[in-house]
Amino acid sequence: MRRWAWPLSFLALAAVSAGLFLVRSHVDKAHVALLFLLVVLGGSAAGGRVLGIALSAVAFLIFDFAFLPPYYTLVIQDPLDWLVLVAFLVTGIVAAQLLARAEDRAETARQRSVEVERLAVLGAETLNVGRAEDALTAIARVIQATLEVACCEIFVARLPGPTYSRAGAAGTCGGAADVDPAGLAAWVAQAGAPATERADRTTRIAPLAPAPGESWSQLPLWPIGDDVRALLVPLGVRGRTVGVLRISSDAPFTLDPAKRQFLDALAYYAALAVERTRLSAEADRAEAFRQAGQLKDALLAAVSHDLRTPLTSIKALAHRLAERGTEEAVSIEAEADRLNRMVADLLDLSRLNAGSLPLRIELNVADEIVGAAVRSVTAARGARAVAVHAEAAGPIGVVCDTVQAVRVLVNLLENALKYSPQDSPVDLDVRRAGDRVQFAVADRGPGIPEDERERVFTAFYRPPGSPPDVGGVGLGLAIARRLAEAQGGDVRLAPRPGGGSVFTFDLPAADVPALIAPAG
């Protein structure tokens, strides 16, 4: 339509001029000006700003030449005619400008409407697709259709390692033979800046990464030229690059600022889809671990329960033989006791994991718990000393299950005795810190590296380099922490100044006189 606007508009101007010329003696100057303005407005609407100004100028000359005396000259005899002509010319030019501006705004609004519609489709594709992996392909398909390129690909990191692989694609995808899209995608992800593949099989990268709060589309030196066949942009979420978007075409393409901004918005949706894929994978992994943990706990509970009955029989038979004087029976009974404790630990660990271990939480005195724990490790410590230090002069109240609190402390003391030298004592400090009571068991053992300090509380974990004859299967610390947490406390590990480790067992504290008084 626009290519015919120019000839049709000038034909209309000629027709109007001819008609007015035939009735020139019966029309006024105002009639001529109004009809010419109609032609100018029509031409501006059909052909744009330049055509409207051109029609105004030609109509200005025709007006002067044919309808203002003296006729057939460009001489203006009456000074008031200058006012008519200038007013007509200015009105025509301003009208053309206003129409053009209105058309520009209408076109911008139409483009925004299309962009909003595309973004709505992207949002729906992101949320409605059943599998997270399918969302990447759906979004790639929308981007490829919206930007009208031959191919759209989305690359995500392949764990473990910095390599990238294609997770979603749409269209007919190719590339320069000398360019590895996955390798270039890895560079774009690492640099956080876009790159291009050019028609001469070379690549060009953005000289600078976007500043914080700035998008890649705002880079002033962004290398978009006339010979670009593929564009790669990083996909970022909350300041972290999660993937790379690559669009390519068989023919060179360019992106004006409006398209760059729109691509920036599309890339953000793609980044959200990549993030959704990652979170979905993590959720699946966590669910698998949870189910495996439940299966392990169920297996431990079943095995430990079934082992207790034959162990009881073995212990009873060994005890009977020991009473008859059979020396080997004493060893059998001791080993049966050791195996029975191990089975009990397994059973309790499974109960703790299931949250089914019964507890009797009540007010206790810290000194009684410490005394019971030290007496329990008498056989294990032999001649070695356990130095107990208490900062408070009076009794320290602690809210806990007496049996389980003693068990935690025994586990910590036995662990310290196992891993510290035979000629070094084990220190046990008791103090109240605010609303907590802390039992600190300190040894002079080899210490535990920082990256191992949390792992030692994992069931069945043994630190590298542990002596093979130290005994145990790695359950003591795991059970100690779980029992402490079940009573509202915790067990922490820290290095001891001068060498060794400090295991701190804390529990809720209470004011002993205030709680005992009402009961009495």
Side-chain angles (χ1 to χ4, degrees):
M1 178 60 186
R2 277 187 174 268
R3 66 176 181 172
W4 294 102
W6 280 75
L8 291 176
S9 296
F10 279 100
L11 281 176
L13 180 60
V16 169
S17 300
L20 290 171
F21 184 77
L22 294 176
V23 295
R24 185 173 62 183
S25 58
H26 303 286
V27 297
D28 190 61
K29 298 171 186 174
H31 300 143
V32 176
L34 288 174
L35 288 175
F36 278 171
L37 279 176
L38 285 176
V39 175
V40 170
L41 291 174
S44 299
R49 179 188 294 109
V50 176
L51 176 57
I53 293 174
L55 287 172
S56 299
V58 174
F60 173 86
L61 295 175
I62 295 175
F63 199 168
D64 184 19
F65 186 80
F67 298 98
L68 292 179
Y71 300 126
Y72 313 121
T73 70
L74 296 179
V75 176
I76 299 174
Q77 188 174 22
D78 187 352
L80 292 177
D81 289 344
W82 276 108
L83 180 60
V84 174
L85 284 175
V86 171
F88 165 76
L89 183 61
V90 171
T91 303
I93 293 174
V94 170
Q97 293 280 7
L98 292 176
L99 278 175
R101 188 175 302 175
E103 285 188 349
D104 290 343
R105 290 179 177 176
E107 177 61 20
T108 301
R110 189 189 66 79
Q111 291 179 358
R112 293 289 180 271
S113 175
V114 173
E115 291 175 0
V116 170
E117 182 180 353
R118 293 293 186 184
L119 291 176
V121 173
L122 273 177
E125 294 288 356
T126 305
L127 297 174
N128 292 337
V129 175
R131 292 195 320 133
E133 293 79 3
D134 295 338
L136 294 179
T137 301
I139 288 179
R141 187 165 53 246
V142 174
I143 294 176
Q144 183 255 338
T146 302
L147 298 180
E148 297 177 343
V149 293
C151 170
C152 176
E153 301 165 279
I154 297 175
F155 293 86
V156 298
R158 184 169 50 193
L159 297 176
T163 58
Y164 273 69
S165 61
R166 191 171 68 176
T172 304
C173 300
D178 298 337
V179 178
D180 176 18
L184 188 56
W187 184 93
V188 169
Q190 183 179 6
T196 57
E197 300 171 17
R198 310 176 78 83
D200 58 359
R201 297 183 175 181
T202 61
T203 60
R204 187 175 177 184
I205 58 178
L208 297 172
E214 184 183 39
S215 70
W216 63 269
S217 64
Q218 296 172 308
L219 291 175
L221 299 177
W222 166 234
I224 286 288
D226 295 334
D227 58 347
V228 172
R229 291 184 181 274
L231 166 66
L232 293 91
V233 297
L235 303 177
V237 176
R238 293 184 289 277
R240 183 170 54 87
T241 300
V242 297
V244 175
L245 173 69
R246 178 180 182 268
I247 57 173
S248 59
S249 183
D250 297 333
F253 64 90
T254 58
L255 295 177
D256 57 29
K259 284 187 175 180
R260 287 165 54 182
Q261 290 184 359
F262 188 45
L263 178 58
D264 201 14
L266 298 176
Y268 182 68
Y269 273 91
L272 291 179
V274 173
E275 186 70 356
R276 178 191 170 190
T277 304
R278 186 184 67 81
L279 294 176
S280 177
E282 288 187 357
D284 293 342
R285 194 179 304 114
E287 177 63 17
F289 280 130
R290 189 189 65 79
Q291 293 181 358
Q294 287 183 339
L295 181 61
K296 183 189 71 176
D297 292 340
L299 181 62
L300 287 177
V303 171
S304 56
H305 182 271
D306 292 343
L307 282 176
R308 300 196 79 173
T309 301
L311 277 175
T312 303
S313 301
I314 292 173
K315 178 178 170 59
L317 291 173
H319 183 73
R320 191 178 305 167
L321 290 175
E323 289 179 342
R324 295 176 183 174
T326 306
E327 296 181 356
E328 290 81 0
V330 177
S331 299
I332 295 174
E333 185 176 5
E335 291 301 319
D337 288 338
R338 179 169 171 268
L339 188 57
N340 193 38
R341 286 196 298 272
M342 189 183 304
V343 171
D345 285 344
L346 286 173
L347 184 59
D348 288 344
L349 183 63
S350 64
R351 288 175 177 172
L352 285 167
N353 291 336
S356 59
L357 183 70
L359 294 174
R360 183 179 180 183
I361 305 297
E362 57 187 0
L363 175 64
N364 291 277
V365 178
D367 291 348
E368 296 177 358
I369 294 175
V370 171
V374 172
R375 286 193 297 272
S376 297
V377 299
T378 299
R381 66 187 173 91
R384 300 169 63 187
V386 174
V388 180
H389 311 280
E391 295 183 358
I396 302 175
V398 56
V399 179
C400 61
D401 182 305
T402 308
V403 175
Q404 302 304 343
V406 171
R407 188 177 180 188
V408 172
L409 208 49
V410 167
N411 282 4
L412 297 182
L413 288 171
E414 288 181 345
N415 181 77
L417 292 168
K418 284 179 184 175
Y419 292 97
S420 58
Q422 293 292 329
D423 55 351
S424 66
V426 172
D427 295 317
L428 172 56
D429 295 335
V430 185
R431 70 187 186 94
R432 178 168 178 172
D435 61 347
R436 315 292 289 179
V437 176
Q438 294 181 343
F439 304 87
V441 179
D443 62 61
R444 289 297 181 188
I448 299 175
E450 184 175 358
D451 57 346
E452 299 283 334
R453 288 174 194 164
E454 282 300 315
R455 300 180 66 184
V456 297
F457 294 105
T458 304
F460 305 108
Y461 179 77
R462 299 286 301 275
S466 298
D469 56 346
V470 74
V473 293
L475 288 176
L477 293 179
I479 291 178
R481 172 171 276 187
R482 301 288 180 83
L483 284 174
E485 292 173 347
Q487 299 173 78
D490 192 16
V491 174
R492 301 181 301 278
L493 168 61
R496 185 181 187 184
S501 303
V502 179
F503 288 85
T504 302
F505 168 39
D506 70 62
L507 288 170
D511 190 348
V512 176
L515 292 179
I516 290 178

